[in-house]
Amino acid sequence: MDIIETMSHGDFEKYLRKTRNTICGRHPISVLLAAINEIMPTIREKGDKIQLKFVKYAQSNHAKDFTDSS
């Protein structure tokens, strides 16, 4: 979640490759981050700032080991 909040598409993709984590919604998250990265230069040019923060997080089940899923 910390990596997603940085809005770095590249870092998110590296995390997925390194951990092989199968995050539910990873594809839409990746598209969102890629879109943000695409428009970021325009946002900075205008002097605007954007921030991405999670306001709520829930799991259907707590994973207790690497073979568990939630």
Side-chain angles (χ1 to χ4, degrees):
M1 290 174 64
D2 291 338
I3 292 171
I4 295 168
E5 286 183 343
T6 69
M7 297 181 287
S8 172
H9 181 255
D11 288 348
F12 183 62
E13 293 295 318
K14 285 179 196 172
Y15 168 80
L16 292 176
R17 280 193 302 275
K18 180 181 177 183
T19 64
R20 299 173 64 177
N21 195 340
T22 56
I23 298 168
C24 182
R26 67 189 173 277
H27 298 301
I29 292 167
S30 187
V31 170
L32 172 66
L33 295 176
I36 289 171
N37 283 217
E38 185 68 27
I39 64 169
M40 193 61 79
T42 303
I43 291 168
R44 288 189 181 129
E45 275 180 22
K46 292 181 178 183
D48 294 335
K49 295 180 182 178
I50 61 170
Q51 184 178 12
L52 192 153
K53 289 285 181 192
F54 284 89
V55 293
K56 185 175 179 180
Y57 174 74
Q59 292 175 294
S60 58
N61 186 34
H62 290 283
K64 294 179 178 71
D65 62 49
F66 287 111
T67 61
D68 284 349
S69 63
S70 67

